């Protein structure tokens, strides 16, 4: 227990680490899940997903099916206060 850190190594590419008052982290290869007192972050394959009080954020983008959160288009858009149609 060096400075409040506990670590369990499963093999050379996988471990579970707890740092008192800081985080709980599970790593398998380059995939990492980190939990802190106020957030959960998952990183894999060059992307990151974060859940915290601000909501859910994905980098570089969040895609559901084939619809990109950042790049999708809407049909039936009317300028002004009107609502848009569903994504195209």
């Amino acid at each position: 227990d060096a400075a409040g850190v506990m670590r369990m190594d499963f093999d050379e590419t996988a471990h579970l680490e707890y740092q008192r008052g800081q985080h709980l982290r599970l790593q398998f290869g380059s995939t990492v899940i980190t939990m802190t007192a106020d957030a959960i972050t998952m990183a894999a394959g060059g992307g990151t997903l974060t859940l915290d009080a601000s909501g859910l954020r994905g980098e570089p983008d969040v895609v559901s099916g084939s619809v990109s959160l950042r790049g999708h288009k809407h049909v039936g858009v009317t300028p002004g206060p009107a609502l848009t149609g569903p994504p195209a």
Side-chain angles (χ1 to χ4, degrees):
D1 182 10
V5 176
M6 291 184 269
R7 182 177 166 125
M8 181 186 313
D9 290 295
F10 302 104
D11 64 28
E12 61 278 350
T13 64
H15 69 268
L16 179 64
E17 176 183 286
Y18 171 71
Q19 185 171 358
R20 186 177 302 131
Q22 298 295 315
H23 67 261
L24 176 63
R25 178 176 293 134
L26 176 61
Q27 182 165 352
F28 183 69
S30 62
T31 300
V32 181
I33 300 172
T34 303
M35 291 184 287
T36 62
D38 57 0
I40 299 171
T41 302
M42 296 180 281
T48 302
L49 189 64
T50 302
L51 176 62
D52 61 18
S54 298
L56 182 64
R57 293 180 310 285
E59 294 293 336
D61 193 3
V62 175
V63 178
S64 179
S66 62
V67 179
S68 161
L69 182 62
R70 293 185 176 163
H72 70 276
K73 307 291 182 206
H74 288 263
V75 296
V77 175
T78 303
L83 299 175
T84 63

